[in-house]
Amino acid sequence: MYIVGLMSGTSLDGIDAALVRVNNRGLKTKIEMIDFITHPFPKDVEEEIIQSLSVNTSNVQLICSLNFKLGKLFSEATKEVCQKAGLPLKELDLIGCHGQTIYHQPLQEQNMVPSTLQIGEPAVIAYETNTPVISNFRTMDMAAGGQGAPLVPYTEYVLYRSESKGRLLQNIGGIGNVTVLPKQATLDDMYAFDTGPGNMIIDEVCRQLFHRKYDEGGEIAKQGHVNEELLSYCLSHPYIMSHPPKSTGRELFGKQYVENLLKKFETVPGQDILTTVTMFTAKSIVENYRAFILPKTEVDEVIIGGGGSYNNTLIEMIQSLLGDSVTVLTQEELGFSSEAKEAVAFALLANETFHGKPSNVPSATGAKKAVILGNITFPPLKGSR
């Protein structure tokens, strides 16, 4: 099957679209990534997403409209990656779309029940591409008592399990999340959780202090010094040492968190702030390993994906904190793509759903049982492809 996986993450850098050829399903799955693109958001849409993410600036009309705007953009990204690969759209079999997370509440707060909302109307995507769309992957896991995140561990088990090495799959997107794969692991042996902030705080500091979208290669952070008082304050956030299963997002570490941080530490030089929040991401990752993984799992390799894998300063910090006993690698060093990893994952999850197979990992999400993820939206023009 030819499947496009679509992912728009918390970093808001655009829509990742991966065209994948998938053979078989489950542990027999074989994949080949044919092509990959990032379809940038128009500036006005990016601003609307940012507005919709805050309970203080969002409204139902904005989210309603944005749901359809994003559906059109997801369909454009699908067409673009197929065109780039030279695959006629009529030969595309399936689309797996994670959508754009607007709000994710994994735990009950007063009368607000655990819930999640991803938008990017699948009917628009299905209509524009005349292709079945599988979307809304988180909700069935939450219906089964899970947190609806992280979702990629099943695909990581299929692609990265090793007979000889214990591996940690660390994604650093807007949020950091880790999947633990002991050597010779069964599906029941693996577990996963969000470690805390990934690029989210780093990128927001860059926007507010340096008027850049991100710190390319970690070059700015490389020039500053860690402010220990600021680092200690960041690490005192209760999420960092809370026990898995756990998941988080922009609600805890978004724009409001950064604005409060900059106000509290306004006398600290900008470069030092960026260096320190980069170290915060590194330490939050490694401290979670030390508390919740290393005491019970032998780890040989940490394999890093996501946009954070291109931040050399961040990678060097993680390696330095772990020491020489654990090798830190990027996806590229294994022949994969850090950028495309999550988009590929949603292509594989769509493939499992299409075949009626469960693909959550209860030990990672806290769900009561394994369930089939996602909703299927069929194209309207049956027989006309």
Side-chain angles (χ1 to χ4, degrees):
M1 295 180 71
Y2 289 104
I3 306 176
V4 167
L6 299 170
M7 176 67 191
S8 173
T10 49
S11 56
L12 303 182
D13 50 2
I15 298 166
D16 292 339
L19 175 61
V20 183
R21 183 187 289 114
V22 182
N23 290 313
N24 225 313
R25 56 189 181 272
L27 295 181
K28 296 180 180 178
T29 303
K30 302 294 180 187
I31 70 158
E32 176 192 356
M33 192 179 81
I34 298 170
D35 223 322
F36 172 79
I37 58 106
T38 297
H39 188 79
F41 290 123
K43 186 63 180 174
D44 61 327
V45 173
E46 182 183 349
E47 289 172 356
E48 287 183 8
I49 295 171
I50 292 170
Q51 186 181 346
S52 73
L53 295 173
S54 169
V55 293
N56 297 320
T57 58
S58 187
N59 62 72
V60 291
Q61 183 181 24
L62 172 65
I63 293 174
C64 190
S65 168
L66 190 57
N67 181 40
F68 275 68
K69 283 186 182 180
L70 287 174
K72 189 70 182 295
L73 288 172
F74 283 127
S75 68
E76 290 173 3
T78 300
K79 294 173 184 177
E80 183 182 340
V81 74
C82 289
Q83 183 178 24
K84 182 169 181 267
L87 182 79
L89 198 59
K90 65 181 180 181
E91 293 185 19
L92 184 64
D93 296 296
L94 191 62
I95 297 167
C97 181
H98 173 268
Q100 177 64 56
T101 298
I102 295 299
Y103 205 82
H104 181 68
Q105 183 172 312
L107 303 173
Q108 180 145 351
E109 296 177 13
Q110 287 95 39
N111 65 330
M112 300 296 179
V113 301
S115 50
T116 191
L117 178 63
Q118 285 73 43
I119 63 173
E121 180 52 54
V124 174
I125 307 170
Y127 181 86
E128 292 289 334
T129 62
N130 202 28
T131 304
V133 177
I134 298 178
S135 61
N136 222 23
F137 286 91
R138 295 184 187 272
T139 50
M140 186 58 79
D141 182 85
M142 295 193 80
Q147 295 194 7
L151 288 180
V152 297
Y154 179 86
T155 66
E156 291 172 325
Y157 179 74
V158 170
L159 297 177
Y160 299 95
R161 179 185 177 278
S162 171
E163 286 291 321
S164 60
K165 294 178 180 178
R167 287 174 161 172
L168 304 184
L169 280 297
Q170 178 71 48
N171 183 67
I172 308 177
I175 292 297
N177 53 70
V178 64
T179 298
V180 184
L181 272 176
K183 64 181 178 182
Q184 303 173 8
T186 67
L187 198 58
D188 291 336
D189 292 330
M190 66 183 299
Y191 53 102
F193 55 91
D194 288 354
T195 51
N199 303 316
M200 187 176 289
I201 297 174
I202 299 169
D203 291 351
E204 188 60 36
V205 168
C206 277
R207 277 190 286 266
Q208 294 200 30
L209 296 186
F210 300 96
H211 309 292
R212 300 185 187 183
K213 283 192 170 184
Y214 60 95
D215 183 11
E216 186 169 0
E219 285 301 313
I220 301 174
K222 188 177 182 180
Q223 300 169 36
H225 299 90
V226 172
N227 181 289
E228 294 297 338
E229 183 184 359
L230 171 55
L231 180 61
S232 178
Y233 173 83
C234 291
L235 288 168
S236 69
H237 192 291
Y239 180 85
I240 304 304
M241 286 293 102
S242 63
H243 284 258
K246 59 180 180 175
S247 58
T248 187
R250 198 168 288 275
E251 302 76 35
L252 290 187
F253 296 110
K255 185 176 181 180
Q256 188 174 357
Y257 177 87
V258 172
E259 287 176 346
N260 292 339
L261 198 72
L262 295 180
K263 186 174 181 180
K264 184 175 179 66
F265 293 92
E266 59 186 357
T267 61
V268 177
Q271 282 185 349
D272 290 357
I273 289 177
L274 190 59
T275 303
T276 305
V277 296
T278 302
M279 178 60 83
F280 174 36
T281 290
K283 287 211 77 164
S284 65
I285 289 169
V286 174
E287 289 304 311
N288 270 272
Y289 293 176
R290 288 176 177 155
F292 307 121
I293 300 173
L294 296 179
K296 57 184 178 181
T297 304
E298 183 180 340
V299 175
D300 301 293
E301 294 178 344
V302 175
I303 302 168
I304 297 181
S309 67
Y310 301 109
N311 185 325
N312 298 326
T313 301
L314 176 58
I315 300 302
E316 289 169 7
M317 287 175 172
I318 292 171
Q319 181 68 82
S320 176
L321 290 168
L322 284 170
D324 297 332
S325 61
V326 178
T327 302
V328 177
L329 303 166
T330 63
Q331 291 286 331
E332 278 71 14
E333 290 174 271
L334 295 180
F336 293 98
S337 167
S338 293
E339 287 182 299
K341 179 176 180 287
E342 288 202 303
V344 169
F346 284 99
L348 295 190
L349 290 175
N351 182 60
E352 295 300 305
T353 300
F354 183 82
H355 288 98
K357 300 296 182 183
S359 55
N360 66 327
V361 178
S363 58
T365 65
K368 297 181 182 73
K369 59 183 178 180
V371 292
I372 301 169
L373 301 179
N375 303 341
I376 302 178
T377 304
F378 289 101
L381 306 175
K382 185 176 179 182
S384 65
R385 299 188 67 186

